[in-house]
Amino acid sequence: MIRIGAPDGKPLAARFTHPGEATALAFAPDGAALASAGYDGTVRLWSLATGGQRIVEISPQPLWTVAFGPDGRTFATAGEDKTIHVRPSDGGPELHRLSGHALNVWHLAFAPDGKTLASGGFDRTVRVWDLASGQLLHTSTGHRQGVVGLDVRASDGLIASGGDDATIRSWRGDEKPLRTIAAGQYVDAVAFSRDGRWLVAGGRESHGLNALWKAVTGRRPLGDRGIAARLGRVADGTAVAVLDRQPDDVVAVAFSPDGRLVATGSEDGSVALWRLTPQT
């Protein structure tokens, strides 16, 4: 069940059911539609005005990521079949089928001009694709474990990636990282603020007693929160805030369009809203 709620915590009359569970969500740029990708290998395009849906059959295997192009006319999705599918949002035939990843594709992000698409996968690579030709432009191999989180800065196309090697890396769309930041934990999600000054990263502990307990029992020790998300300054990579009020791993992060709020989604089923202060 997908539920859309108001920032004040009051529920809205918007509930969508993606059979077999949804794995990824994306709003269209104009805010009129919501895309959900799921274990059933479909993408469902939901009208927020009417609640109607268009079902797009993609793959016989689960999908893990979905993203709209900046003009909203196309979307891309990928997952267990190691292939990126680029489709028109109006339900037309597939535009591109991008192959090259050796393992699951976990995240996709369009460049701000819509001309290229970045992808991150369990094969430890970040790849950049040309959407006019469908050709692979670059393959970056700096991560030592799977790439799980990915975002592209709207102002200039800077790529941020996070992975199971407990690092956050930034790229200019070529094969060499500009900066590598030791995150101290697995990184499951990264997101730039709209103005590009800040990066929020969420994840889970990669070592220590808490990580071992979670691996064995499926939950953290009672009463322990751990360090679940961090807010950092993009210019120099400095962490300026730790967002640690949720009792379980943070697997999703997002900024509000005005950049004043950060949302962190946890495996315990909670979503926390954090208000950024002028000092940060």
Side-chain angles (χ1 to χ4, degrees):
M1 178 73 72
I2 302 163
R3 294 180 174 89
I4 300 176
D8 59 7
K10 297 178 180 178
L12 299 181
R15 297 183 181 183
F16 307 125
T17 300
H18 190 128
E21 299 184 13
T23 57
L25 302 172
F27 278 104
D30 62 4
L34 177 73
S36 63
Y39 282 106
D40 63 354
T42 70
V43 169
R44 295 169 188 255
L45 302 172
W46 307 87
S47 167
L48 298 185
T50 68
Q53 64 170 304
R54 178 185 299 118
I55 302 173
V56 184
E57 302 282 347
I58 301 292
S59 171
Q61 296 178 276
L63 301 172
W64 296 118
T65 178
V66 63
F68 278 102
D71 62 4
R73 296 179 181 177
T74 59
F75 70 87
T77 186
E80 294 277 347
D81 68 358
K82 312 169 192 175
T83 303
I84 302 164
H85 306 264
V86 183
R87 304 288 295 256
S89 300
D90 63 6
E94 191 168 72
L95 300 173
H96 293 296
R97 184 169 294 189
L98 310 177
S99 299
H101 280 283
L103 296 171
N104 303 350
V105 181
W106 271 101
H107 213 95
L108 300 171
F110 282 86
D113 60 7
K115 294 181 179 180
T116 60
L117 179 72
S119 61
F122 256 21
D123 61 0
R124 309 179 184 185
T125 67
V126 175
R127 298 172 186 251
V128 179
W129 309 83
D130 177 68
L131 291 177
S133 65
Q135 297 298 307
L136 178 65
L137 297 177
H138 303 289
T139 300
S140 301
T141 57
H143 282 282
R144 296 185 300 277
Q145 295 294 330
V147 178
V148 183
L150 189 74
D151 198 17
V152 176
R153 188 161 65 175
S155 60
D156 60 0
L158 180 71
I159 299 169
S161 59
D164 286 345
D165 60 355
T167 68
I168 302 167
R169 298 169 188 255
S170 57
W171 318 77
R172 281 289 182 193
D174 55 21
E175 299 179 6
K176 296 181 179 179
L178 293 176
R179 178 179 291 114
T180 299
I181 300 170
Q185 64 179 25
Y186 295 126
V187 181
D188 287 338
V190 296
F192 284 108
S193 61
R194 182 66 63 90
D195 63 9
R197 296 174 59 202
W198 311 106
L199 183 77
V200 63
R204 51 205 160 90
E205 289 178 279
S206 58
H207 59 276
L209 178 60
N210 291 338
L212 177 61
W213 184 278
K214 180 72 183 293
V216 173
T217 69
R219 57 185 176 83
R220 290 181 180 276
L222 184 63
D224 178 74
R225 291 192 176 92
I227 298 175
R230 291 177 172 84
L231 179 69
R233 188 165 48 232
V234 175
D236 58 12
T238 301
V240 299
V242 175
L243 314 178
D244 62 351
R245 299 295 180 86
Q246 288 161 293
D248 210 337
D249 303 331
V250 169
V251 295
V253 295
F255 280 91
S256 62
D258 63 8
R260 296 179 181 180
L261 297 174
V262 175
T264 55
S266 172
E267 280 197 344
D268 68 353
S270 69
V271 176
L273 290 178
W274 307 81
R275 188 177 300 279
L276 301 186
T277 66
Q279 287 77 22
T280 60

